[in-house]
Amino acid sequence: MSETGGSSRRTVLKYLGAGGGAVAAGAALAACTGVQQAQNGGRSGPFPGTPGWRFVFVNHVTTNSFFVPTRSGLADAAALLGVPEPQWTGSENGNVAQMASAVETAITGKADGIAVALTDDHAFVDLTKRALGQGIPVIAYNASAAGNYPLTYVGQDLYLSGFRMGQRIAQKITSGDILVGISQPGGNNVQPRLDGITDALKQAAPGVRVQSVNTGAEQAGELNAMTAAFTGNSGAKGIYAVDAGSTAACAKLIADRGLAGKIGGGGFDLLDDTVTGVKTGALDFTIDQSPYLQGFLSVLYLYLFRLSGTLVAPPATDTGLTFVTKENVGPYATAHSRFEGGDNKEVVGMPQAIPLPPASVLSR
């Protein structure tokens, strides 16, 4: 995949997401101000009473720590809108057949809406068509697929995030090998990032050789995989990853081997070991993709689509790309916020200065 070849998809996510998603979310939240929870068909603020719509989320790694804030987001949206908390189902280890079976069950059970991480290009195409044909809205979250037919996608622009990461790596490393952990090679949730890194380095630092490391979909084995890869290539100039668990493994590996400041490191998401790694300098950066919004907005969009009688089309929404570095990691390290997977349930923060967004964000 090239930067040019992926521009159409990225443009849709960037511009529709920046505008339509923000407008839809803002309007709904404004309408719900002061709402009291009204489960099982009660009224929600100015909205009319609705049936107890049952939404189903199908996930590829249901027990992975990354999705803790996603589950908080979907639960919060459901409580705000007065519908039951959506079912969370799928596979624990990236098994596409198990995920497809969960979608099949949701269709057979006449779910009122389905959100699915489309980690495979082919497994969900016919299922999506069947669901839509039966009046069941389907949206993709966290990962989308070419050739599939969800109503929308809620999640990060994955290729672009990898490309930007590759550009950042090139600022530090211009030659030699780097290791890049990937939990599910070929999976639509992570492979586009690896493709983006590779393409960016071909342009900005062609002397860098990318050695991908298959770390597996289960968090418990990712550190072992990265450790084995580094043991086999101890001259690597950097240790990186394109998924949450592998990034946390990189942080721990660099810290345990005393390599902080001597080797490049970075990746994605905000697991505890990752945040600690950024704070201590084991990692140069990690990338935040707002997993909370991937749950919250998905429920919001399914709800509005049904409530409006299909007149409100859910917008494609890019949930973002924020580089978290030693300079801005402070709130991530201290807040323990439920919005990022922590156990702090407080939702009101103390007033403080807000850093000015980059010019590229302001000019979109």
Side-chain angles (χ1 to χ4, degrees):
M1 184 184 296
S2 68
E3 174 72 352
T4 301
S7 62
S8 177
R9 180 178 69 85
R10 294 197 302 277
T11 299
V12 170
L13 295 181
K14 178 178 179 181
Y15 292 102
L16 287 184
V23 172
L29 290 177
C32 290
T33 299
V35 67
Q36 295 182 348
Q37 181 172 332
Q39 292 289 349
N40 299 321
R43 293 178 60 85
S44 180
F47 291 150
T50 66
W53 285 327
R54 185 172 60 88
F55 301 143
V56 177
F57 275 67
V58 178
N59 189 261
H60 49 293
V61 280
T62 53
T63 59
N64 192 287
S65 303
F66 167 80
F67 286 105
V68 170
T70 304
R71 297 186 69 176
S72 293
L74 65 88
D76 287 352
L80 183 70
L81 298 170
V83 297
E85 182 174 329
Q87 181 185 2
W88 182 257
T89 185
S91 172
E92 291 186 7
N93 56 7
N95 188 306
V96 173
Q98 292 176 352
M99 295 175 65
S101 177
V103 176
E104 176 87 39
T105 299
I107 296 171
T108 303
K110 301 186 183 305
D112 295 298
I114 299 171
V116 55
L118 295 177
T119 56
D120 184 89
D121 279 342
H122 309 292
F124 307 102
V125 175
D126 290 340
L127 290 167
T128 301
K129 289 180 180 178
R130 279 181 50 199
L132 295 175
Q134 295 179 29
I136 302 172
V138 178
I139 67 174
Y141 74 100
N142 190 255
S144 194
N148 208 321
Y149 304 91
L151 296 175
T152 194
Y153 169 61
V154 180
Q156 188 178 68
D157 184 335
L158 300 170
Y159 176 84
L160 180 61
S161 69
F163 196 89
R164 294 276 177 83
M165 178 172 167
Q167 290 177 319
R168 197 172 189 104
I169 292 171
Q171 295 174 9
K172 182 168 187 172
I173 301 172
T174 57
S175 64
D177 294 341
I178 63 169
L179 307 178
V180 182
I182 178 170
S183 59
Q184 294 175 270
N188 290 337
N189 56 316
V190 285
Q191 186 65 46
R193 289 174 174 161
L194 182 58
D195 295 341
I197 291 171
T198 302
D199 287 350
L201 289 172
K202 285 178 181 177
Q203 294 182 20
V208 175
R209 295 179 297 274
V210 176
Q211 178 184 334
S212 64
V213 181
N214 183 352
T215 58
E218 297 185 17
Q219 282 181 267
E222 290 177 306
L223 177 58
N224 289 338
M226 291 305 300
T227 300
F230 182 70
T231 299
N233 190 351
S234 58
K237 300 291 186 65
I239 304 175
Y240 300 92
V242 294
D243 63 273
S246 298
T247 301
C250 292
K252 193 166 188 341
L253 173 59
I254 291 172
D256 289 350
R257 294 291 181 96
L259 298 171
K262 303 175 184 177
I263 192 171
F268 284 84
D269 306 320
L270 297 159
L271 301 188
D272 288 344
D273 283 341
T274 299
V275 172
T276 298
V278 173
K279 184 178 179 181
T280 61
L283 298 180
D284 301 315
F285 63 85
T286 190
I287 295 174
D288 181 7
Q289 61 173 308
S290 298
Y292 179 92
L293 292 179
Q294 294 178 22
F296 188 94
L297 293 178
S298 294
V299 171
L300 181 64
Y301 293 167
L302 288 171
Y303 177 88
L304 289 175
F305 186 75
R306 295 203 67 96
L307 184 71
S308 70
T310 74
L311 293 175
V312 174
T317 305
D318 183 348
T319 56
L321 189 167
T322 300
F323 278 96
V324 179
T325 66
K326 204 166 186 176
E327 287 69 35
N328 65 349
V329 74
Y332 293 95
T334 60
H336 304 291
S337 169
R338 68 193 304 275
F339 295 101
E340 293 292 355
D343 57 5
N344 186 351
K345 305 300 183 184
E346 294 295 328
V347 296
V348 179
M350 294 298 293
Q352 56 182 311
I354 300 173
L356 188 68
S360 60
V361 174
L362 295 175
S363 62
R364 285 195 301 201

